[in-house]
């Protein structure tokens, strides 16, 4: 990370990515895309971790981002499996169609 | 930080319950393909052994209190209390599950393994002394729970429940993680005590707004897991759709563990800004009670009703969290223990009554249960009366301690509104009793078999615990009082 | 140690036995267990009281610490003083008699073992309520008797009306309990204890509150609890409906014991009330209003149990009037005598209903005095007792109350006297309609078995001589000093005359034949057609004679206030709650993206509040 780029830029980029992830979750209609939005949010967090870690001259933040990646991978495995069973049972990936439990 | 790659034995002892649970869960997964169909319940017995071993491990760990793995974990009374509670909920859930899995012809090792993994995650959460450990424990517990909620792959309700739980859960966890990242950036640490030290020192506390913002982001994550308003929307759908024993588990175990980390983080790390988060908690506690109780009034599906009731009870516990005092923490701990018993007991009746494919889950289906199976109906009545908070049940003392703590903390309005809420709640719980005893038996009770031995054991144990805690609350309260933080 | 715990534990054992194995036991064994336990409990009370001697000071037994948290320390402690002694004797004594009676009354009913299990459980909670040495233990009994009352009202659960009545009772009582709970919290915050001894010791040196203050608030909140349990305005509505339960239940719970728990609680808290004259005034006025209102409604009812139910409400009003004017001893005196004669009235009514195979309508009765002479004879004893004819039970206690009321405010005395006349009137009306004239029903009346009229005979003796024999105010004098000044004979004579007048008017209207009715009716002109059916004659009497009072009470108080206003409020609240629930449910659309939007909005709100609050605070 070249020192000429100030910390705040990374943080702002991270916030924008996180916001995009949130927005994506709320507006996209395909379950896979919604799931990818969550991944985007997690990666935005990773960016913050790395930036802070660099700023603080610590290695901890880097380690944290690895943890987050591992957890995200586990989540992806389980999540895609769940999405697959939903698709098998309903033959659709439109998130709005999965709304029979309500009120 | 000294680099030591081989941990000291005492650290492993402090980590014993998690280790034992993981070993047993892995063993079950290895043995699963080696076990014949129809013999799978033996893996469940193995899981039970694993849970008992974990309880023993928790006792051994409690005898060697202290930190482990470079301050990542902290074994104190608080952690021990919640470890026991998680394991206990696991045992009760397991006992309910035997009959359920047999009935649905879905007995397999992975169910038991997932249950153990989820409990291992909860044990990590409650003994974590550090934000990243909290996150990892939370995810271990959650990922296993996501699968459990959708355990019956071919059941549409299970699918939907799992999908909602998974998507929204991950969504909320991302907020939590973002908060953790910020607090790490501000304080340079993820250790709770260190964060507290930095935040309480005004001179070195920079970016004041960002501290509030990161506390808020973490609040979203925790509030979601404990189903506090306005983040409770997922709970009714998930609990309704998931298999009944899993709903029992989700609304008692992971919820208690989430409350544990909620309490630990806000009472240690965010102690310096207590006045600010108290206001948010106040509003959230009130909104949670109102949403839970009023929405429950209109439910006809008993699982959904219990889901809303679980939201309402989370609201009462939040009142205790809002007090931000030691007796408030003790009251919350007592309430969570009491709630675990009555809730698992109530869901055990639902598990028993719903029958294959969960066909009978409407309140009206219970009509005449009082005549057909008086014992089951009486035990369910005990749980419902305890939900209401009638004296001589655990629920009474749970509410009593919480509202007393709230009064001591001068939360007079919250107390009054909370008591009014619990008066509203009496209505929908009583409705179930009225249906059971005072309605003409419906055909749905005609072919009801007597409860399976596992479910019977859960019912009697939970009812006994509910009544014992209603008469001798001090047995648990003393433990909680000593273990409460600060 | 006197082993006070045995007193409630015996009925509890009966409940446990009958509740678990009762279904498999023969009926005789169930009855034996059910009756033996209250009787043993009664004997134990007698033994305890005789060995405790004069009981000038309270005797306390401490068993174990129940709750200990911070400053709060509550033990399971039982206490006996003279007030407790009186209540114990009434509860176990009358309770035993009613259990005995119920053996005969319920002999042919389904769920026999269940009924007696509940009845014994009720005894356990009632005795806990009376014996408890702190407000929390009392509350345990208080909630417990409410639960049993709920279970027993709904005993005939296949009848929808019974189930509804049970639910109504429970819900109305919750409102009262809410007040009681708040009073407990206030007390704890203020005094740091809920022990009777400690609370009263803390209150005693406090100055009397001449304007509203803390003690007034506590006293009023406690009274809110009492209005629920003891069926006072505005929470009395559940009691008449509670008559859906079997008649022994009406006698035991809804006449003799449970409903007087509120009076006991107020008398027990006398120290608090004496420091809050404003609250006393409220108690007196509510009591008096309830007495009048319920008496007027009682006049109009045709269901024999409803008449007595409204009468119970009215008599409870008298007891609160006594407490409100400071005559706590007189209030408890009336609790005792009322337990005698009202239990007798209900059990006698039960005997009549039993004889007529379930008929409760007074218009379907008549002329029964020759057919069921024993029942008639014992009911006559209750009749003279409630009408306040000297020297029978009701006379003594009612007189004490009226004199105390006169001492407080003369107008209260006069209202009380009018109520006494109405009381005598409606009971006489019920008696005349039931036992005199021609039999108007279609059943074949038969006398009840000995096991039923035996207890009635004992209660009859108590109704006749109990008031004279048990001078409760003298016994309670160490707790509640006797009022100075003698009995003013003129006032006594007026109240007795009111009773006699009530009986006389009823006699003229219901026994001396319809000539008078015709003339009154024709005097009224064309308002009402003369109704030829003789069942409707007394309706005409009612309309003609008691119209100024009755019509107002029936159409305005009963229809509008009771059914319209109070039920309306209860229903309105329910509708509102459902509305709120409906709105909340609308948010629960089932759509994941929708939920995510909520989570996002919520997090923005929390972010704004916490971010700005922290920033602003620093």
């Amino acid at each position: 990370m070249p020192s000429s780029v100030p910390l705040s830029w990374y943080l702002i980029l991270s916030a924008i990515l996180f916001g995009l992830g949130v927005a994506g979750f709320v507006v996209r209609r395909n379950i896979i895309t919604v799931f990818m939005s969550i991944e985007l949010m997690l990666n935005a967090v990773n960016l913050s971790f790395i930036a802070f870690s660099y700023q603080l001259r610590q290695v901890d933040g880097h380690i944290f981002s690895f943890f987050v990646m591992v957890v995200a991978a586990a989540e992806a495995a389980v999540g895609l499996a769940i999405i697959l069973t939903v698709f098998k049972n309903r033959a659709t990936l439109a998130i709005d169609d999965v709304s029979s439990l309500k009120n | 930080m000294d680099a030591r790659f081989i941990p000291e034995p005492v650290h492993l002892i402090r980590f014993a319950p998690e280790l034992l649970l993981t070993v047993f869960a892995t063993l079950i997964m290895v043995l699963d393909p080696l076990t014949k169909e129809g013999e799978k319940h033996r893996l469940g017995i193995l899981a039970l052994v694993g849970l008992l071993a974990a309880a023993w491990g928790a006792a051994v760990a409690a005898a060697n209190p202290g930190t482990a793995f470079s301050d990542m974990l902290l074994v104190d009374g608080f952690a021990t209390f919640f470890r026991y509670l998680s394991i206990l909920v696991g045992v009760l859930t397991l006992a309910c599950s035997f009959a359920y899995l047999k009935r649905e012809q879905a007995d397999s090792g992975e169910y038991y393994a997932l249950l153990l993994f989820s409990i291992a995650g909860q044990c990590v959460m409650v003994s974590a002394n550090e934000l990243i450990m909290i996150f990892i424990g939370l995810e271990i517990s959650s990922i296993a729970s996501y699968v459990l909620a959708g355990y019956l792959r071919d059941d549409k309700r299970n699918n939907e429940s799992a999908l909602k739980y998974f998507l929204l859960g991950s969504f909320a966890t991302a907020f939590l993680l973002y908060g953790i990242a910020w607090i790490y950036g501000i304080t340079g640490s993820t250790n709770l005590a260190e964060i507290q030290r930095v935040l309480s020192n005004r001179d070195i506390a920079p970016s004041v707004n960002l501290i509030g913002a990161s506390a808020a982001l973490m609040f979203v994550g925790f509030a979601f897991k404990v189903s506090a308003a306005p983040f409770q929307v997922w709970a009714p759908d998930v609990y309704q759709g998931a298999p009944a024993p899993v709903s029992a588990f989700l609304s008692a175990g992971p919820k208690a563990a989430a409350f544990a980390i909620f309490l630990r983080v806000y009472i240690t790390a965010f102690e310096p800004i207590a006045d600010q988060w108290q206001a948010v908690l106040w509003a959230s506690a009130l909104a949670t009670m109102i949403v839970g109780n009023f929405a429950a009034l209109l439910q006809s599906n008993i699982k959904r009703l219990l889901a809303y009731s679980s939201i309402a009870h989370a609201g009462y516990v939040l009142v205790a969290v809002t007090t931000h005092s030691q007796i408030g923490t003790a009251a919350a701990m007592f309430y969570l223990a009491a709630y675990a018993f009555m809730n698992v007991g109530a869901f055990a009746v639902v598990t028993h009554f719903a029958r294959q494919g969960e066909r009978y889950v409407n309140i009206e289906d219970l009509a005449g249960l009082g005549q057909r199976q008086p014992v089951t109906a009486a035990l369910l009545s005990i749980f419902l009366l305890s939900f209401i908070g009638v004296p001589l049940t655990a629920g009474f003392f749970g509410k009593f301690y919480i509202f007393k703590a709230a009064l001591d903390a001068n939360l007079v309005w919250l107390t009054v509104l909370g008591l009014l809420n619990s008066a509203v709640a009496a209505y929908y719980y009583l409705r179930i009793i009225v249906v059971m005893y005072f309605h003409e038996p419906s055909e749905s009770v005609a072919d009801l078999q007597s409860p399976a031995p596992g479910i019977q054991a859960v019912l009697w144990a939970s009812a006994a615990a509910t009544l014992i805690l209603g008469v001798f609350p001090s047995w648990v309260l003393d433990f909680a009082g000593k273990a409460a933080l600060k | 140690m006197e082993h006070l715990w045995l007193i409630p534990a015996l009925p509890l054992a009966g409940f446990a036995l009958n509740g678990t194995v009762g279904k498999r036991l023969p009926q005789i064994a169930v009855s034996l267990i059910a009756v033996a336990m209250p009787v043993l409990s009664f004997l134990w009370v007698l033994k305890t009281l005789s060995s405790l001697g004069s009981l000038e000071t309270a005797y306390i037994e401490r068993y174990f610490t129940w709750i200990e948290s911070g400053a709060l320390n509550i033990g399971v402690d039982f206490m006996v003083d003279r007030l407790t002694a009186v209540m114990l004797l009434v509860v176990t004594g009358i309770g035993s008699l009613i259990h005995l009676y119920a053996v005969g009354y319920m002999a042919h009913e389904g769920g026999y073992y269940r009924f007696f299990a509940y009845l014994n459980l009720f005894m356990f909670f009632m005795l806990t309520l009376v014996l408890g040495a702190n407000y929390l233990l009392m509350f345990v009994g208080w909630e417990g008797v409410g639960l049993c009352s709920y279970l027993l009202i709904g005993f005939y659960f296949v009848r929808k009306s019974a189930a509804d009545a049970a639910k109504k009772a429970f819900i109305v009582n919750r409102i009262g309990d809410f007040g009681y709970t708040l009073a407990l919290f206030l007390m704890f915050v203020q005094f740091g204890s809920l022990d009777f001894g400690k609370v009263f010791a803390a209150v005693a040196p406090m100055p009397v509150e001449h304007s509203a203050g803390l003690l007034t608030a506590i006293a009023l909140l406690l009274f809110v609890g009492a209005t629920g349990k003891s069926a006072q305005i505005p929470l009395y509505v559940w009691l008449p409906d509670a008559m859906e339960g079997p008649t022994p239940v009406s006698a035991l719970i809804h006449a003799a014991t449970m409903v007087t728990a509120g009076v006991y609680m107020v008398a027990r808290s006398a120290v608090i009330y004496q420091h809050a004259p404003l609250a006393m005034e409220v108690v007196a006025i509510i009591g008096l209003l309830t007495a009048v209102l319920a008496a007027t409604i009682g006049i109009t009812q045709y269901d024999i149990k409803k008449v007595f139910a409204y009468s119970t409400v009215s008599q409870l009003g008298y007891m609160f009037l006594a407490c409100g004017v400071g005559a706590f001893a007189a209030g408890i005196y009336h609790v005792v005598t009322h337990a005698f004669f009202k239990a007798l009235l209900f059990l006698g009514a039960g005997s009549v209903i039993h004889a007529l195979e379930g008929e409760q309508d007074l218009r379907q009765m008549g002329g029964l005095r020759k057919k069921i002479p024993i029942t008639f004879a014992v009911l006559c004893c209750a009749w003279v007792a409630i009408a306040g004819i000297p020297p029978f039970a009701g006379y003594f206690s009612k007189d004490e109350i009226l004199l105390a009321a006169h001492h407080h405010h003369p107008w209260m005395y006069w209202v009380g006297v009018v109520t006494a006349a109405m009381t005598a009137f409606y009971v006489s009306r019920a008696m005349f309609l039931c036992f005199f004239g021609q039999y108007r029903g279609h059943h074949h009346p038969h006398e009840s078995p000995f096991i039923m009229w035996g207890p009635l005979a004992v209660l009859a003796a108590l109704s006749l001589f109990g008031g004279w024999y048990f001078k409760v105010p003298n016994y309670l004098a160490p707790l509640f000093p006797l009022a100075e000044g003698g009995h003013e004979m003129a006032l006594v004579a007026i109240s007795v005359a009111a009773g006699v007048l009530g009986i006389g008017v009823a006699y003229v209207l219901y026994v001396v034949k319809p000539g008078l009715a015709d003339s009154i009716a024709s005097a009224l002109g064309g308002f009402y057609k003369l109704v030829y059916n003789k069942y409707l004659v007394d309706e005409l009497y009612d309309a003609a004679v008691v119209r100024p009072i009755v019509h107002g009470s029936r159409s305005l108080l009963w229809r509008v206030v009771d059914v319209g206003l109070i039920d309306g409020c209860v229903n309105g609240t329910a509708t509102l709650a459902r509305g709120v629930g409906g709105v909340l449910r609308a948010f629960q659309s089932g759509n994941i993206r929708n939920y995510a939007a909520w989570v996002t909005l919520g997090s923005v709100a929390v972010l704004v509040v916490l971010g700005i609050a922290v920033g602003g605070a620093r």
Side-chain angles (χ1 to χ4, degrees):
Chain A
M1 200 189 303
S3 56
S4 59
V5 181
L7 173 70
S8 54
W9 290 29
Y10 289 98
L11 297 184
I12 290 167
L13 175 63
S14 156
I16 290 173
L17 286 176
F18 192 85
L20 283 175
V22 173
F25 192 113
V26 177
V27 301
R28 300 308 294 257
R29 286 156 201 277
N30 185 293
I31 299 177
I32 302 281
T33 326
V34 167
F35 177 59
M36 283 163 66
S37 303
I38 296 174
E39 295 293 309
L40 185 60
M41 289 162 75
L42 292 178
N43 282 322
V45 175
N46 272 346
L47 182 58
S48 293
F49 267 127
I50 304 281
F52 279 129
S53 181
Y54 184 79
Q55 170 79 12
L56 294 162
R57 311 264 166 230
Q58 287 178 346
V59 76
D60 302 28
H62 293 89
I63 310 289
F64 297 160
S65 68
F66 281 120
F67 273 125
V68 174
M69 283 156 76
V70 169
V71 167
E75 230 176 46
V78 165
L80 288 172
I82 291 174
I83 294 172
L84 206 63
T85 60
V86 169
F87 182 74
K88 261 172 62 186
N89 271 314
R90 299 180 188 245
T92 174
L93 278 178
I95 199 164
D96 294 352
D97 292 347
V98 189
S99 58
S100 62
L101 300 169
K102 58 185 169 192
N103 295 329
Chain B
M1 198 186 288
D2 53 340
R4 200 177 307 167
F5 295 104
I6 300 171
E8 286 176 44
V10 68
H11 289 186
L12 290 177
I13 288 174
R14 286 173 193 151
F15 197 54
E18 290 84 350
L19 282 176
L20 285 166
L21 286 166
T22 315
V23 167
F24 272 93
T26 315
L27 191 62
I28 289 170
M29 292 186 70
V30 170
L31 291 178
D32 190 21
L34 305 176
T35 317
K36 276 187 283 210
E37 287 298 326
E39 303 281 302
K40 302 279 190 187
H41 64 274
R42 299 201 171 162
L43 298 171
I45 310 257
L46 188 59
L48 190 61
V49 174
L51 285 169
L52 296 177
W56 170 77
V60 172
N64 296 281
T67 60
F69 308 123
S70 312
D71 276 4
M72 300 276 258
L73 290 182
L74 172 63
V75 177
D76 54 3
F78 186 77
T80 305
F81 181 93
F82 280 105
R83 276 175 165 177
Y84 281 139
L85 185 56
S86 291
I87 293 169
L88 186 83
V89 170
V91 171
L92 294 173
T93 309
L94 195 59
C96 287
S97 303
F98 288 122
Y100 179 83
L101 293 174
K102 191 173 166 206
R103 191 175 73 201
E104 306 292 340
Q105 290 158 359
D107 211 353
S108 82
E110 70 194 52
Y111 181 91
Y112 304 113
L114 285 166
L115 196 62
L116 292 197
F117 278 129
S118 180
I119 295 163
Q122 290 162 35
C123 289
V124 172
M125 276 158 89
V126 300
S127 49
N129 191 31
E130 202 258 358
L131 292 175
I132 292 297
M133 283 312 283
I134 287 178
F135 167 71
I136 290 175
L138 188 66
E139 283 296 300
I140 296 175
S141 162
S142 301
I143 290 176
S145 316
Y146 299 151
V147 185
L148 282 177
Y151 180 69
L152 300 179
R153 277 190 295 266
D154 299 324
D155 186 298
K156 278 191 175 186
R157 289 171 297 179
N158 274 216
N159 287 162
E160 182 172 341
S161 166
L163 184 70
K164 283 180 171 169
Y165 194 23
F166 164 67
L167 286 179
L168 292 165
S170 312
F171 187 59
T173 312
F175 281 88
L176 170 72
L177 197 60
Y178 200 34
I180 293 177
W182 274 98
I183 207 75
Y184 167 68
I186 295 163
T187 62
S189 174
T190 49
N191 184 287
L192 298 178
E194 177 68 12
I195 294 170
Q196 181 182 12
R197 197 182 59 74
V198 175
L199 291 186
S200 53
N201 188 338
R202 279 164 188 253
D203 297 334
I204 60 167
S207 345
V208 282
N209 286 329
L210 289 178
I211 295 170
S214 41
L217 286 168
M218 289 176 64
F219 182 91
V220 175
F222 294 144
F224 181 90
K225 291 293 174 190
V226 303
S227 70
F231 310 106
Q232 87 298 350
V233 274
W234 60 280
D237 294 8
V238 171
Y239 294 171
Q240 185 190 345
V246 174
S247 304
F249 177 69
L250 294 181
S251 52
K255 190 176 256 186
F259 264 114
I261 52 174
F262 202 145
L263 282 162
R264 208 193 266 280
V265 168
Y266 280 78
I267 287 179
T268 54
F270 290 126
E271 162 69 25
I273 55 164
D275 292 345
Q276 281 75 44
W277 56 254
Q278 255 191 312
V280 174
L281 263 177
W282 192 99
S284 178
L286 180 60
T288 310
M289 289 189 288
I290 290 175
V291 169
N293 282 321
F294 282 83
L297 286 177
L298 296 175
Q299 299 306 323
S300 55
N301 181 304
I302 191 160
K303 278 170 85 183
R304 205 171 175 80
L305 185 142
L306 286 174
Y308 277 112
S309 127
S310 126
I311 294 173
H313 288 278
Y316 302 132
V317 179
L318 281 173
V319 172
V321 180
T322 313
T323 61
H324 180 238
S325 64
Q326 195 178 354
I327 59 164
T329 309
M333 290 161 77
F334 180 85
Y335 201 94
L336 287 167
Y339 178 72
F341 284 115
M342 48 197 181
N343 190 50
V344 175
F347 268 112
V349 176
V350 175
T351 308
H352 159 58
F353 189 84
R355 275 157 285 174
Q356 220 228 318
E358 300 205 353
R359 280 166 296 152
Y360 299 107
V361 284
N362 276 334
I363 293 170
E364 286 305 322
D365 294 335
L366 289 169
L369 187 64
Q371 288 112 282
R372 187 75 179 77
Q373 284 191 358
V375 176
T376 311
L379 293 172
L380 180 56
S381 304
I382 290 177
F383 303 132
L384 294 172
L385 291 173
S386 181
F387 279 138
I388 297 176
V390 170
L392 294 181
T393 60
F396 170 75
F397 279 110
K399 286 209 180 65
F400 177 82
Y401 289 127
I402 284 179
F403 289 120
K404 181 177 155 292
L407 275 183
D408 285 350
N410 279 323
L411 301 170
V412 177
W413 278 108
L414 196 56
T415 306
V416 172
L417 293 169
L419 286 174
L420 271 176
N421 253 289
S422 59
V424 170
Y427 179 81
Y428 58 83
Y429 294 125
L430 274 180
R431 208 178 77 206
I432 302 178
I433 297 185
V434 168
V435 169
M436 281 196 304
Y437 284 99
F438 299 150
H439 281 201
E440 286 290 337
S442 61
E443 73 232 51
S444 57
V445 297
D447 63 334
L448 188 61
Q449 309 286 316
S450 63
I455 289 180
Q456 267 190 357
V458 173
L459 288 178
W460 283 106
S462 308
T466 304
L467 292 176
I468 289 171
L469 288 184
V471 181
F472 305 104
S474 50
W475 292 1
V476 167
L477 194 79
D478 286 350
F479 189 0
K482 285 193 203 99
L485 295 168
K486 207 174 44 152
Chain C
M1 283 292 266
E2 291 296 334
H3 296 288
L4 292 177
W5 58 273
L6 267 177
I7 299 171
L10 286 166
L12 184 65
F15 161 71
L17 273 176
N18 274 339
T20 50
V21 294
K23 199 174 186 176
R24 287 180 214 110
L25 291 179
Q27 191 154 335
I28 181 81
V30 172
S31 330
L32 206 63
I33 294 169
V35 177
M37 292 305 168
V39 171
L40 285 175
S41 184
F42 176 61
L43 293 176
W44 195 254
V45 168
L46 288 180
K47 190 239 156 219
T48 308
L49 292 183
S50 65
S51 67
L52 284 177
S54 74
L55 271 178
E56 296 281 343
T57 53
Y59 167 78
I60 297 177
E61 268 181 21
R62 298 188 190 279
Y63 299 108
F64 59 92
T65 302
W66 186 20
I67 309 165
E68 195 170 13
S69 92
L72 183 62
N73 188 323
I74 292 175
V76 173
D77 305 334
F78 283 165
M79 176 182 96
V80 177
D81 63 0
R82 291 193 167 192
L83 177 58
T84 315
V86 172
M87 293 301 290
L88 280 178
L89 287 172
V90 170
V91 173
T92 53
I94 307 280
S96 301
L97 289 174
I98 294 174
H99 275 75
L100 197 60
Y101 172 94
V103 168
Y105 189 85
M106 299 299 288
H108 308 296
E109 302 280 345
Y112 190 80
Y113 75 98
R114 199 160 54 91
F115 176 82
F116 279 105
Y118 292 162
L119 216 54
N120 274 348
L121 184 65
F122 166 78
M123 291 293 285
F124 162 71
F125 279 119
M126 189 69 207
L127 290 166
T128 308
L129 191 163
V130 173
L131 278 167
N134 56 57
Y135 277 101
L136 196 68
L137 207 51
M138 189 195 237
F139 186 58
V140 170
W142 187 269
E143 287 282 294
V145 290
L147 178 71
C148 296
S149 148
Y150 168 73
L151 290 170
L152 285 165
I153 295 170
F155 186 73
Y156 297 126
F157 50 76
V158 284
R159 281 211 306 252
K160 188 181 179 303
S161 54
D164 285 350
K167 213 161 79 174
K168 187 171 181 183
F170 199 86
I171 289 171
V172 169
N173 267 300
R174 292 295 298 184
I175 302 171
D177 294 345
F178 179 59
Y180 191 106
T181 320
L182 282 183
L184 290 197
F185 277 124
L186 266 183
M187 251 188 266
F188 172 69
V189 169
Q190 193 62 27
F191 308 118
S193 174
L194 294 175
D195 252 40
F196 291 144
K198 289 187 188 140
V199 170
F200 301 150
V203 172
M206 289 170 79
V208 172
E209 283 174 356
H210 289 290
S211 56
L214 178 87
L215 291 177
T216 314
I218 293 176
L220 285 176
L221 285 170
L222 283 177
F223 184 59
V224 170
T227 55
K229 192 108 303 175
S230 295
Q232 296 295 292
I233 294 173
L235 300 182
Y236 69 92
V237 286
W238 66 271
L239 187 56
D241 290 10
M243 297 303 131
E244 288 290 345
T247 304
V249 171
S250 309
L252 178 62
I253 302 186
H254 306 119
T257 56
M258 183 189 84
V259 290
T260 60
V263 184
Y264 166 74
M265 190 262 285
V266 170
R268 173 60 73 202
S269 316
V271 180
I272 298 175
Y273 280 90
Q274 280 156 352
H275 283 74
L278 210 63
M280 296 264 283
E281 206 64 36
V282 172
V283 173
I285 288 172
I286 293 280
L288 193 59
L289 279 179
T290 310
V292 180
L293 175 97
T296 50
I297 297 175
I299 293 175
T300 67
Q301 300 298 306
Y302 279 106
D303 181 326
I304 185 166
K305 284 181 75 181
K306 284 269 166 76
V307 174
F308 294 153
Y310 277 106
S311 160
T312 304
V313 176
S314 169
Q315 298 296 312
L316 288 166
Y318 264 120
M319 299 172 202
F320 281 104
L321 169 65
C323 293
V325 299
F328 295 101
I332 295 295
Y333 198 8
H334 203 55
V335 167
V336 175
T337 57
H338 177 256
F340 297 156
F341 61 70
K342 189 51 66 66
L344 181 52
L345 277 176
F346 268 111
L347 296 184
S351 181
V352 172
I353 296 166
H354 192 79
L356 299 180
E357 285 149 31
E359 184 57 71
Q360 303 196 7
D361 193 327
L362 284 169
R363 286 166 297 192
Q364 301 293 320
M365 299 177 185
L368 293 178
R369 74 173 177 274
K370 297 199 188 70
K371 300 204 165 81
I372 43 175
I374 303 175
T375 305
F376 172 64
V378 294
L379 273 178
C380 281
C381 303
W383 179 17
V384 290
I386 192 174
I389 306 299
F392 307 119
Y395 156 77
F396 290 97
S397 50
K398 198 176 284 184
D399 217 47
E400 291 271 349
I401 294 173
L402 288 176
L403 286 178
H406 188 267
H407 192 66
H408 190 71
H409 276 308
W411 67 267
M412 286 185 170
Y413 167 83
W414 290 108
V415 178
V417 166
V418 172
T419 310
M422 287 196 282
T423 306
F425 178 78
Y426 64 67
V427 176
S428 311
R429 169 177 168 273
M431 290 296 289
F432 291 136
L433 284 175
C434 180
F435 290 105
F436 290 77
Q438 292 295 309
Y439 180 56
R440 299 177 292 264
H442 314 290
H443 299 285
H444 301 286
H446 53 90
E447 185 57 274
S448 303
F450 169 75
I451 193 152
M452 284 170 69
W453 66 256
L456 292 184
V458 178
L459 283 170
L462 287 170
S463 297
L464 291 181
F465 310 113
W468 167 78
Y469 187 75
F470 301 111
K471 286 282 189 223
V472 176
N474 295 344
Y475 182 67
L476 292 178
L479 288 168
F480 309 114
L482 292 171
E484 61 275 13
H487 285 195
E488 292 175 51
M489 285 323 287
L491 295 179
V492 176
I494 289 171
S495 68
V496 170
V500 175
L501 180 74
I503 298 176
V505 172
Y507 182 75
V508 171
L509 291 180
Y510 293 97
V511 180
V512 178
K513 266 292 187 181
L516 183 58
D518 286 341
S519 68
I520 294 173
S522 57
L524 275 170
F527 280 115
Y528 293 95
K529 284 182 195 167
L530 276 181
V531 187
Y532 316 109
N533 193 320
K534 65 180 175 180
Y535 299 137
L536 294 178
V537 171
D538 48 344
E539 277 195 89
L540 206 63
Y541 291 155
D542 280 354
V545 180
V546 212
R547 190 175 147 77
I549 322 163
V550 175
H551 197 75
S553 72
R554 177 182 259 177
S555 61
L556 188 73
L557 294 174
W558 188 50
R559 291 255 161 74
V560 178
V561 177
D562 184 356
V563 178
L565 197 70
I566 294 172
D567 281 10
C569 281
V570 172
N571 296 339
T573 314
T575 314
L576 181 71
R578 282 167 175 278
V580 174
V583 171
L584 290 171
R585 225 162 66 143
F587 290 129
Q588 207 75 35
S589 61
N591 186 312
I592 299 177
R593 298 188 306 120
N594 214 315
Y595 291 178
W598 276 111
V599 172
T600 312
L601 280 177
S603 42
V604 169
V606 176
L607 264 172
V608 168
V609 174
L610 260 179
I612 290 177
V614 175
R618 288 294 170 108

